[in-house]
Amino acid sequence: MIDVKAYIDEKLKEGTIHFSLLDPDPAKLTVDNAKIIAKRMQKAGTDGFLIGGSTGVTSESLSDIAIAVKEATGLPTIYFPSDVHAMTDEVDAMLFMSIVNSNNPKFITHYHAKAAPFIKMLGIQTIPMAYIIVEPGMTVGRVSEAKLVKKDDVETAAGFAIAAEFMGMKLVYLEAGSGADTPVPPEMVEVVKMNIDIPLIVGGGIRTPEAAAAAREAGADIIITGTFVEQCSDDSLLTAVVKAAKGI
Ligand code: 1GP
């Protein structure tokens, strides 16, 4: 198993990190496809893989995709939690995330209390993370009953991020939602980054080198691309987005 937090801290010394997100919903991704995509993304320069989705994820699909990605690339695999019932120890770590702007306490701490004893038993590395969902929020915003942060409300986003750091979170994730038309505005990334000392993750709707570069230049420490990674078959474009995200 890879110590993912140490890996992130080490990689950040070199610059911005790019992680690829794979949705292990069997209706969307087969094991064979996951291997192909993972290899292609490794070649493009990605630093690791988040595995997770908002619907249709089971322990089996999660575990199958984690094993496939690990076998194909040897890069870190990180569970991006989907459902309290979907769990595997085949990942190197999981983002132990609280959806801090959810209106439903289940997504803030209650599901966590249900899952934590089992996670402890499995011995999975947990990385505490505040997840802040920004407009349009997409499926994850709806499913997790988030009170979406408005695109221009940088103060609210910064408030959640500062509070997260005060609460001991090790990462903050600004999420526009998978498949969002536009990513989290660079102005919001910039203000949030200015206000915290923990690494800032940005994702949702990033599918061009320009958008990836804008997020990095605004201060994103880790950039996530999901839909684009799964749908783009142009290797040079994949590489261009990863390079723009990493600034190399
Ligand atoms: C979703 O931020 C991630 O949780 C990725 O979003 O699928 O739009 O790249 P995309």
Side-chain angles (χ1 to χ4, degrees):
M1 289 286 157
I2 297 167
D3 179 341
V4 175
K5 185 63 176 63
Y7 177 83
I8 289 173
D9 291 342
E10 208 45 45
K11 279 267 162 199
L12 281 176
K13 291 179 189 163
E14 297 164 21
T16 308
I17 292 173
H18 176 270
F19 283 147
S20 304
L21 170 65
L22 297 177
D23 186 340
D25 177 350
K28 297 181 191 154
L29 185 68
T30 64
V31 165
D32 287 345
N33 252 340
K35 283 186 186 162
I36 293 168
I37 295 171
K39 280 198 178 127
R40 179 181 273 161
M41 289 315 297
Q42 183 173 36
K43 218 170 130 210
T46 198
D47 297 302
F49 293 86
L50 298 193
I51 303 171
S54 299
T55 53
V57 180
T58 64
S59 297
E60 197 186 354
S61 67
L62 177 64
S63 155
D64 288 349
I65 299 298
I67 292 169
V69 169
K70 230 183 322 182
E71 280 177 4
T73 68
L75 286 170
T77 54
I78 307 158
Y79 180 28
F80 186 27
S82 307
D83 186 301
V84 67
H85 302 293
M87 197 60 65
T88 180
D89 58 1
E90 294 295 346
V91 288
D92 295 305
M94 69 178 287
L95 298 171
F96 198 77
M97 60 186 232
S98 173
I99 304 179
V100 289
N101 63 326
S102 174
N103 280 321
N104 187 337
K106 281 181 183 166
F107 298 101
I108 305 172
T109 52
H110 293 200
Y111 279 148
H112 310 63
K114 277 203 166 83
F118 186 51
I119 295 168
K120 192 176 170 75
M121 198 185 80
L122 291 177
I124 306 166
Q125 182 186 29
T126 49
I127 306 176
M129 181 182 90
Y131 192 61
I132 303 168
I133 309 180
V134 179
E135 289 177 332
M138 310 303 283
T139 306
V140 73
R142 186 171 38 79
V143 171
S144 61
E145 300 170 46
K147 184 178 182 215
L148 301 176
V149 176
K150 296 199 178 311
K151 279 185 175 201
D152 58 359
D153 191 357
V154 293
E155 288 82 10
T156 297
F160 273 121
I162 296 166
E165 186 166 16
F166 286 170
M167 286 190 279
M169 299 293 188
K170 299 291 182 224
L171 298 169
V172 168
Y173 192 138
L174 278 178
E175 170 71 89
S178 186
D181 275 353
T182 51
V184 173
E187 299 74 25
M188 182 178 279
V189 174
E190 198 174 339
V191 172
V192 168
K193 177 63 187 170
M194 254 164 32
N195 278 283
I196 56 172
D197 290 318
I198 49 177
L200 175 60
I201 306 177
V202 177
I206 297 174
R207 56 177 85 84
T208 62
E210 292 74 21
R216 175 178 47 76
E217 284 161 12
D221 295 296
I222 302 174
I223 293 176
I224 312 292
T225 54
T227 309
F228 167 72
V229 160
E230 289 174 347
Q231 292 179 354
C232 178
S233 52
D234 177 347
D235 284 341
S236 61
L237 185 57
L238 287 172
T239 305
V241 168
V242 173
K243 282 193 165 170
K246 296 174 73 165
I248 52 174

